[in-house]
Amino acid sequence: MSIKARLLAGTTLLVALAIGVSAISARGQDGPVTFDVGEPQGIDSMSPLIGVVVPAFEAWNLQYAPLTDKAAKDFHTIPALAESWKGSEDKLTWTYKLRDGLKWSDGKPLTSEDIAWTVNTSREEEWLNHSAVTANLTASAPDPQTVVIKTSVPDPKLPTMDAYILPKHIWGKMSPAERDKYEGEDGVGSGPFVLEKFEKGQFARFRANPNFWQGKPDVDKVVIRKFNNPDAMVAALKTGELDAAWEIPGNAFKELEKDENIVTNEGYQGSFSEVAINGGDGLKKPHPALLDPEVRKAIAHAIDKETLVKRVLGGVGKTAETIVPSPDLSWVPELSEEQIYEFDLDKARSILEEAGYKDTDGDGVREMPGGGQPLKFTYYARSDGETGQEVAEFVRSWLDEIGIATTEKVADDSQLTTIIGEGNYDMFSWGWTPYVDPDTMLDYMTCKQVASDPEDPTNYYNDANYCDKEYDRLYAQQKVELDPEKRKEIVHEMLTRWQQSAVYDVIWRDPETIAYVKDRFTGFVQQPEKTGPVLFSNTSPTYARLKPVTASAGGSSDDGGGSGGIIAILAVAVVALGAALVVVTRRRSADERE
């Protein structure tokens, strides 16, 4: 019987099912210790060559140990697979020494050949999540424990190696075309946990890696589970069917702060969200009015960021003006008052009027200068996550007030990735979580990152479809500037220039709203210290350090994705029917956002 059918069967059956699932969960507590995490976005791919969303990076952080790691406190470079390294006098050559006895989770030796193969192959094949790091690097393996990495240009990121090292004996057997389509579900890794089972759109289950260089973790399994309904995710956390949850809606997060059984963590690590406009340099063109910078600036003046933070995020978040390229906010430029698009509907209307966009037929929608095509734009809102459709509704209402009509369409992350790559949109809203070094985030907005292959429109990162040659010139300068202060000056100029193009209206700095059950596990680590999140961070150090407090730790059984999602859905249904209140005594749903 489907879940939908069960919900229609009546409150008596709902209560029985809930008790039955709880019993399964309780029996699971005597087995492997499982840390069960809920999140609303889903892992798009287990392959670091394909995936792009934050939960996918969380999964890769579990599975693949880096050559060098970053300290949880402040991101400085620390040993990982490499226990030491040394740079040449000109900083163009770096030699890394690997630890003794490294092994992949399947028992095969992990050697310098794996690192050299990953670096060189990712450079040659321009892997999506590697090329910004390895584009100028060449690696060699003079012996099994020595890796020599040479850079063709000065590289301020080195000696840090922000690239997922893949097992050559798995990935090296494939052709480039096969690697491009491989979903990475082999479960062979070097991190603290490795994949055991993946059901796309549902969950990923990981088991502890006995060959992890720091030793086998104290937790046996980790489950990352997608929830389509954030209320259901919060309910599962409150009933104890989840151990932790990420990206909790603002109002629900405030309610959880009052719960003595829950610990909340509002962390910041550079994540930001934006309303993006198609700049027109991709495979398809947007509405012709959007190629006019004046129209884009008018749209920017019509978006009330303070209201979005208050009404959509429930006041949990911070407004922003431009791309945040790093958790280190010193890389973000300080903009003058003249450079900021303050919320001003009258100014937005004035800009459009002066540029010749008038409502000549009195229907409330402006037309192109001289008459003709009305300003009606297609706006894509994400179905994954909690905020996309709410942001779209607010933006639609504001644009309507200045004489611009929008048709809202909804797409999940996989669909939207293709739509953006094809350039088949006018506007959308989404967000980013940057690496520590700003180079990768800056690289995403270069001309070469605009999708150019109609047969593969998913191979891109420049989702504004906007190409600025001067931005590219500045990007090339900062990429080889070893003086940190001079490099920051260049980056500030780049970001100010990008902001002034008005293709990207950054609306807020996203809080990583995380909550976990109190006194069930210890070992949660904020990254960066004091201000960052404890999960879904840059290198995700918490998982390897988790320790169960009692034998009852772990809220789900080991029967697939766990039972928390079913419990939560049943609890929500019982509330709707107004019966069997005993099942949901610990549930508190998110407040309605108005």
Side-chain angles (χ1 to χ4, degrees):
M1 190 187 303
S2 69
I3 288 177
K4 180 178 179 181
R6 288 172 180 163
L7 295 179
L8 296 174
T11 58
T12 302
L13 181 55
L14 285 171
V15 174
L17 284 169
I19 293 172
V21 177
S22 295
I24 293 171
S25 177
R27 288 197 298 271
Q29 291 171 358
D30 297 326
V33 175
T34 301
F35 183 69
D36 205 336
V37 184
E39 53 87 12
Q41 194 171 127
I43 298 169
D44 55 343
S45 176
M46 281 301 302
S47 167
L49 279 63
I50 298 174
V52 297
V53 299
V54 171
F57 282 83
E58 190 81 341
W60 305 331
N61 285 346
L62 285 172
Q63 178 143 315
Y64 302 110
L67 183 61
T68 64
D69 210 341
K70 300 189 190 75
K73 180 179 180 179
D74 58 6
F75 299 117
H76 73 267
T77 306
I78 59 175
L81 295 177
E83 61 181 1
S84 64
W85 51 86
K86 185 178 180 180
S88 60
E89 188 173 346
D90 60 8
K91 303 301 181 185
L92 295 177
T93 301
W94 291 87
T95 301
Y96 301 81
K97 287 294 182 181
L98 303 186
R99 298 176 184 277
D100 291 332
L102 291 174
K103 292 182 180 180
W104 293 101
S105 57
D106 62 358
K108 300 288 186 182
L110 193 168
T111 72
S112 56
E113 282 290 336
D114 294 292
I115 290 93
W117 178 85
T118 298
V119 170
N120 295 332
T121 308
S122 65
R123 182 196 69 245
E124 293 166 4
E125 298 178 7
E126 297 182 341
W127 292 354
L128 188 63
N129 293 310
H130 287 66
S131 60
V133 176
T134 63
N136 297 310
L137 305 182
T138 302
S140 60
D143 63 62
Q145 285 185 258
T146 303
V147 180
V148 177
I149 294 180
K150 296 185 177 183
T151 175
S152 58
V153 296
D155 189 340
K157 297 187 298 299
L158 293 172
T160 302
M161 272 297 295
D162 256 339
Y164 294 103
I165 305 302
L166 303 182
K168 181 182 178 182
H169 67 283
I170 302 292
W171 294 75
K173 292 180 179 179
M174 307 174 200
S175 68
E178 290 171 332
R179 278 192 288 271
D180 282 344
K181 297 179 181 179
Y182 182 55
E183 288 292 340
E185 298 179 32
D186 51 83
V188 178
S190 54
F193 294 87
V194 291
L195 186 68
E196 187 172 80
K197 186 174 182 180
F198 178 52
E199 293 289 345
K200 189 171 182 179
Q202 299 181 47
F203 69 90
R205 188 175 66 231
F206 303 82
R207 59 179 175 83
N209 178 11
N211 295 328
F212 180 46
W213 68 267
Q214 288 183 316
K216 184 179 179 181
D218 290 314
V219 171
D220 299 304
K221 296 181 187 292
V222 170
V223 177
I224 299 176
R225 190 185 324 150
K226 179 184 178 183
F227 281 75
N228 294 322
N229 184 331
D231 281 353
M233 182 175 73
V234 173
L237 181 69
K238 291 180 68 63
T239 59
E241 298 302 318
L242 284 177
D243 298 303
W246 170 71
E247 220 174 45
I248 298 167
N251 288 321
F253 187 77
K254 287 184 175 180
E255 287 299 309
L256 289 173
E257 288 179 326
K258 305 172 186 176
D259 192 324
E260 62 182 10
N261 298 312
I262 300 292
V263 178
T264 56
N265 165 226
E266 180 183 339
Y268 289 86
Q269 59 173 345
S271 300
F272 65 91
S273 290
E274 80 286 340
V275 174
I277 294 173
N278 188 343
D281 292 318
L283 297 171
K284 294 183 180 180
K285 302 297 182 185
H287 188 291
L290 294 176
L291 301 177
D292 184 348
E294 294 303 301
V295 174
R296 301 197 298 259
K297 290 175 183 177
I299 291 172
H301 281 294
I303 296 176
D304 186 350
K305 300 176 184 181
E306 294 283 354
T307 293
L308 290 176
V309 169
K310 181 179 179 181
R311 302 281 291 277
V312 178
L313 296 183
V316 184
K318 302 175 182 180
T319 61
E321 300 297 336
T322 189
I323 287 172
V324 182
S326 167
D328 179 356
L329 297 184
S330 67
W331 293 100
V332 180
E334 292 187 13
L335 301 175
S336 66
E337 289 186 10
E338 294 75 22
Q339 292 171 327
I340 293 174
Y341 301 115
E342 77 281 1
F343 176 60
D344 188 334
L345 293 176
D346 287 337
K347 187 169 184 176
R349 295 185 190 101
S350 177
I351 290 173
L352 292 172
E353 284 288 330
E354 292 177 7
Y357 298 89
K358 302 178 184 296
D359 178 13
T360 59
D361 56 11
D363 66 352
V365 180
R366 299 175 186 272
E367 294 90 33
M368 294 289 290
Q373 189 173 354
L375 271 58
K376 294 183 178 181
F377 304 150
T378 301
Y379 187 120
Y380 275 94
R382 295 173 59 230
S383 60
D384 294 315
E386 174 66 7
T387 63
Q389 293 179 62
E390 290 187 80
V391 170
E393 283 300 307
F394 277 106
V395 172
R396 179 200 57 76
S397 65
W398 290 320
L399 294 186
D400 186 62
E401 290 192 49
I402 66 171
I404 294 176
T406 56
T407 300
E408 182 182 331
K409 295 186 177 182
V410 178
D412 64 29
D413 288 349
S414 295
Q415 293 168 332
L416 189 53
T417 297
T418 300
I419 290 166
I420 295 170
E422 291 174 340
N424 195 20
Y425 71 98
D426 290 323
M427 302 173 64
F428 71 90
S429 54
W430 207 338
W432 294 95
T433 298
Y435 287 95
V436 174
D437 189 276
D439 182 75
T440 302
M441 190 70 238
L442 299 172
D443 178 69
Y444 291 166
M445 302 306 152
T446 57
C447 296
K448 73 176 187 297
Q449 293 284 15
V450 176
S452 58
D453 182 0
E455 299 299 319
D456 183 18
T458 62
N459 187 21
Y460 74 93
Y461 264 122
N462 187 332
D463 55 359
N465 282 283
Y466 181 71
C467 174
D468 178 359
K469 296 296 185 182
E470 178 62 15
Y471 177 97
D472 279 19
R473 186 186 70 79
L474 293 168
Y475 172 77
Q477 282 187 8
Q478 70 79 33
K479 191 175 181 67
V480 298
E481 180 54 68
L482 299 181
D483 184 314
E485 294 308 312
K486 290 182 179 179
R487 189 179 178 215
K488 282 181 181 176
E489 290 178 8
I490 300 170
V491 171
H492 290 172
E493 184 179 353
M494 293 172 64
L495 295 179
T496 301
R497 185 177 182 85
W498 184 269
Q499 186 264 355
Q500 292 292 285
S501 73
V503 292
Y504 239 49
D505 195 30
V506 178
I507 52 179
W508 64 53
R509 288 177 56 207
D510 289 87
E512 306 291 341
T513 47
I514 296 164
Y516 56 91
V517 178
K518 188 178 182 180
D519 298 330
R520 187 175 281 182
F521 290 92
T522 63
F524 292 93
V525 181
Q526 284 186 274
Q527 187 188 40
E529 187 180 50
K530 297 181 180 179
T531 61
V534 296
L535 298 171
F536 294 85
S537 62
N538 191 266
T539 63
S540 311
T542 287
Y543 296 97
R545 306 185 192 189
L546 285 174
K547 295 181 183 296
V549 173
T550 67
S552 63
S556 66
S557 65
D558 188 33
D559 59 349
S563 59
I566 298 174
I567 279 283
I569 293 168
L570 293 173
V572 172
V574 170
V575 170
L577 292 168
L581 296 178
V582 67
V583 179
V584 292
T585 53
R586 297 184 61 201
R587 178 193 182 277
R588 239 182 288 170
S589 66
D591 296 334
E592 290 295 324
R593 297 198 196 92
E594 294 293 337

